[in-house]
């Protein structure tokens, strides 16, 4: 799991609440959870509230978005496209990884992330 994103009436207030009452180490984006993969590499999972009026989850009308960590995103997107899976937009690359988006059979938008975890350390 790369992350869990959801809509909130007041993301900043909610992040502060989770920091105060549940002890999450939070920043402007939510909280980052660090863990080790099977090879001992540092990995991260992000928990982030988004504003209610965010369009980031579109075309899904759900109040949440799942993010899955993947390897070789470019080839995965090609394979999914060949299997008839709906690809949303184009793959995007940033210093912290590559992103692609798909829709599941119920129209839920899913973010796929090929991470570069060392950028966050």
């Amino acid at each position: 799991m790369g992350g869990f994103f959801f809509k909130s009436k007041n993301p900043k207030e909610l992040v502060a609440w989770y920091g105060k009452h549940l002890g999450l180490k939070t920043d402007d984006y939510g909280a980052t959870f660090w863990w080790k993969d099977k090879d001992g590499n540092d990995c991260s999972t992000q928990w982030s509230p988004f504003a209610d009026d965010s369009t980031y989850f579109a075309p899904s009308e759900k109040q949440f978005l799942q993010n899955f960590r993947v390897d070789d995103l470019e080839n995965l997107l090609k394979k999914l496209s060949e299997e008839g899976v709906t690809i949303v937009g184009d793959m995007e690359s940033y210093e912290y990884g590559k992103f692609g988006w798909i829709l599941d059979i119920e129209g839920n938008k899913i973010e796929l992330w090929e991470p570069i975890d060392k950028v966050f350390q």
Side-chain angles (χ1 to χ4, degrees):
M1 177 65 79
F4 184 72
F5 310 125
F6 57 96
K7 293 187 178 184
S8 166
K9 292 179 184 173
N10 188 331
K12 287 185 180 190
E13 185 176 286
L14 189 63
V15 165
W17 186 92
Y18 275 85
K20 178 180 179 180
H21 297 291
L22 295 180
L24 296 186
K25 184 178 177 185
T26 59
D27 58 25
D28 289 342
Y29 301 103
T32 303
F33 298 90
W34 288 98
W35 49 279
K36 302 270 186 195
D37 69 12
K38 64 181 178 176
D39 298 320
N41 298 309
D42 290 328
C43 298
S44 64
T45 297
Q46 186 69 28
W47 170 89
S48 297
F50 281 64
D52 269 342
D53 60 355
S54 173
T55 59
Y56 192 71
F57 303 174
S60 175
E61 296 180 15
K62 299 288 183 167
Q63 297 296 308
F64 63 88
L65 177 108
Q66 299 174 82
N67 170 296
F68 291 100
R69 298 169 60 93
V70 301
D71 293 319
D72 196 1
L73 177 61
E74 190 171 346
N75 282 324
L76 176 59
L77 289 173
K78 285 178 188 175
K79 179 181 180 281
L80 292 172
S81 179
E82 291 168 0
E83 293 173 353
V85 174
T86 300
I87 309 296
V88 178
D90 296 322
M91 186 177 73
E92 296 180 15
S93 295
Y94 300 92
E95 66 182 45
Y96 45 89
K98 296 177 185 175
F99 293 85
W101 299 268
I102 62 172
L103 296 180
D104 69 14
I105 61 172
E106 292 187 357
N108 298 308
K109 187 176 179 182
I110 299 169
E111 184 171 72
L112 303 174
W113 176 38
E114 182 181 328
I116 301 172
D117 289 300
K118 65 183 176 185
V119 173
F120 298 107
Q121 298 175 350

